[in-house]
Amino acid sequence: MKKSFIMLAAVLMSASASVFAQNPAQDAAKAIADAKPGNENAQESLWKDDAVASVGFTNTQLTNWAAGGYNTLTLLASLDGNANYTDGPMYWNNHLQLDYGFIRSADKPVTQKNNDRIYFESKWGYKATDNLSYTAKYNFRSQFTNSFNYPVPNVEDPNRKDWLNSRVLKSGFLAPAYTDLGFGIDWVPNKWLVINFAPLTGGYTIVLDESLRKQYSMPLLDDAVTYKPAKFEFGAKFTADAKFTINDVFSYKTQLVLFSNYLHKPQNLRVNWDNQVDWQIAKHFALTFKTYLIYDENILIEGTPKTQFKEYLMINYTYKFKPFRR
C-alpha cells in the first residue's frame, strides 16, 4: 500500500512539473498570436480612418407639360474621408472633401457644372491639458475644372457652338485657390465642439488664370497693368467645428471659419460657413442637405463684393469604406 502511494505521488509530481514547464511556452505563443494583425486582442492601432463616397442622380422628363419647364439630368458625386493619428498627448488629424457635379438642361446644348470643390485640412496638435492643445493647422481649398456663365447668344436660333462662344469664364483649377498655415490653440469644451484660434496664420490666394485676377482683387505689378498670380496674406484665423449625432441615422455638422488680414483692412472679416445634414434612410441610401456661405470683399461679383450662397438637396447612394488596418 505504501509502495503504491509513493508511486502515485511520483506520477502526480511528474505531471505537475510537465504542466508548469509548458506554461511559459504557451504564454509566449499566446502573446505572438495576439500581436498578429486581425486578432481581436491585438493592440489598438494608433490610426483611425473612415471614408464615405456618395452619388446622387436626378432626371426630369416632360412630355406635353402645359405648365412648361425643361428636361434636366443632374449628377452629383462626393468623397468625405478622415485619417487621424493619436499617440499619447500628440495627435494629427487629416480631412479631405471632394465634390463634383453637373447638370444637363434642354434649354442649353451644353453640360454645365453645378458643384466642384476640393477641400483639405491637416492639423497637428499637442495636448497641454484635457481641453487645450497647441496646434499647427494647414488648409487648402480650390476646385477641379473651369466654371462658366452662359449668357444667351446674340444670334437667332443659337447652336452649341454659339453657346460655347458666348460663355464667360468664372473660375478654374487654382483660380482661385486658398492655402494657409496657422499656429495657435485648440479648445475642446465638449466632445461635439472644437474651437481653433490661430493668431499667426500666413497663406496665399492664388489665381493662375490671368483673365480672372482682377475679379479676385489680385495686386498689380510695377507696370500697373499686369496683375500678380498670387497674394500673400497674414492674419488671425478662427475656426469652429461642431458635429451632432442625434441617433444612428441622423447627423449634422457645421464649420465656421473667420479670417482677419492684418496687412489689409483687418476689420473686414472673410467668412466661410458650411453646413451638412445627413439622414440615413436605408443601408446605402441617405438624404443629404448641404449649404455653403461665403463673404469675401476681395471677390467681386458684378463689380462689387456680395454674399455668396449655395445649397443642394439630394438622395444619394452611399458607401462607407472599412477602416484601413495599419
Side-chain angles (χ1 to χ4, degrees):
M1 181 72 179
K2 182 176 181 181
K3 186 177 179 179
S4 300
F5 178 79
I6 293 174
M7 291 180 64
L8 179 61
V11 171
L12 292 175
M13 291 176 63
S14 176
S16 299
S18 175
V19 169
F20 285 113
Q22 290 177 3
N23 279 343
Q26 291 174 346
D27 291 343
K30 184 176 183 300
I32 294 173
D34 287 347
K36 289 182 180 179
N39 191 294
E40 295 180 355
N41 297 322
Q43 182 180 3
E44 184 179 358
S45 172
L46 299 178
W47 283 94
K48 290 186 178 180
D49 43 45
D50 62 81
V52 179
S54 63
V55 178
F57 170 83
T58 61
N59 180 42
T60 302
Q61 191 74 30
L62 306 177
T63 302
N64 300 325
W65 193 253
Y70 298 100
N71 298 336
T72 60
L73 174 67
T74 303
L75 179 67
L76 289 170
S78 66
L79 176 67
D80 194 322
N82 297 276
N84 301 329
Y85 177 88
T86 304
D87 188 0
M90 190 272 288
Y91 60 91
W92 179 29
N93 296 341
N94 299 278
H95 182 209
L96 176 66
Q97 284 184 320
L98 305 176
D99 295 287
Y100 196 82
F102 67 85
I103 181 171
R104 182 82 178 190
S105 179
D107 65 326
K108 297 181 181 68
V110 292
T111 300
Q112 303 171 75
K113 187 175 64 172
N114 64 349
N115 198 22
D116 190 356
R117 188 169 188 256
I118 303 172
Y119 180 77
F120 175 68
E121 176 183 291
S122 183
K123 179 170 63 178
W124 176 90
Y126 192 90
K127 286 189 176 183
T129 68
D130 289 340
N131 302 104
L132 289 175
S133 303
Y134 307 110
T135 62
K137 187 176 182 181
Y138 172 78
N139 282 273
F140 174 81
R141 179 163 52 92
S142 188
Q143 57 186 14
F144 290 100
T145 60
N146 290 341
S147 298
F148 299 91
N149 278 349
Y150 288 87
V152 179
N154 191 23
V155 296
E156 185 177 352
D157 193 20
N159 56 30
R160 184 174 187 276
K161 185 177 180 180
D162 295 326
W163 280 98
L164 293 177
N165 289 337
S166 71
R167 66 184 181 179
V168 179
L169 181 66
K170 300 300 294 182
S171 61
F173 179 66
L174 298 182
Y178 303 92
T179 182
D180 60 64
L181 176 64
F183 299 91
I185 59 171
D186 260 1
W187 177 46
V188 187
N190 49 59
K191 63 181 181 180
W192 54 266
L193 177 64
V194 179
I195 294 175
N196 181 266
F197 178 63
L200 301 175
T201 299
Y204 285 90
T205 298
I206 302 168
V207 182
L208 290 187
D209 194 297
E210 188 173 354
S211 66
L212 296 174
R213 293 173 187 171
K214 181 179 179 180
Q215 175 183 330
Y216 289 95
S217 303
M218 303 303 286
L220 286 165
L221 293 172
D222 295 337
D223 60 11
V225 176
T226 308
Y227 291 91
K228 295 181 180 180
K231 175 175 61 177
F232 177 73
E233 296 176 313
F234 180 72
K237 193 172 187 179
F238 172 89
T239 306
D241 289 279
K243 184 174 182 179
F244 305 90
T245 301
I246 309 302
N247 50 41
D248 293 339
V249 298
F250 191 85
S251 64
Y252 166 69
K253 61 182 178 180
T254 182
Q255 182 186 69
L256 175 65
V257 180
L258 307 176
F259 178 75
S260 172
N261 184 10
Y262 297 149
L263 307 179
H264 180 71
K265 298 181 180 179
Q267 72 278 10
N268 294 346
L269 298 178
R270 178 189 301 160
V271 181
N272 291 81
W273 187 23
D274 302 341
N275 293 276
Q276 180 174 330
V277 178
D278 290 300
W279 180 21
Q280 198 73 33
I281 55 181
K283 181 179 180 180
H284 289 296
F285 291 92
L287 182 67
T288 300
F289 178 66
K290 292 184 179 182
T291 68
Y292 303 97
L293 183 146
I294 299 174
Y295 180 79
D296 187 346
E297 67 165 8
N298 296 312
I299 301 177
L300 304 181
I301 302 171
E302 298 177 350
T304 184
K306 295 182 179 180
T307 299
Q308 306 169 58
F309 185 77
K310 178 173 67 174
E311 68 174 70
Y312 69 85
L313 176 67
M314 183 67 64
I315 295 180
N316 297 310
Y317 173 83
T318 64
Y319 182 81
K320 295 183 179 180
F321 295 92
K322 294 181 180 179
F324 300 99
R325 176 74 66 175
R326 288 182 173 83

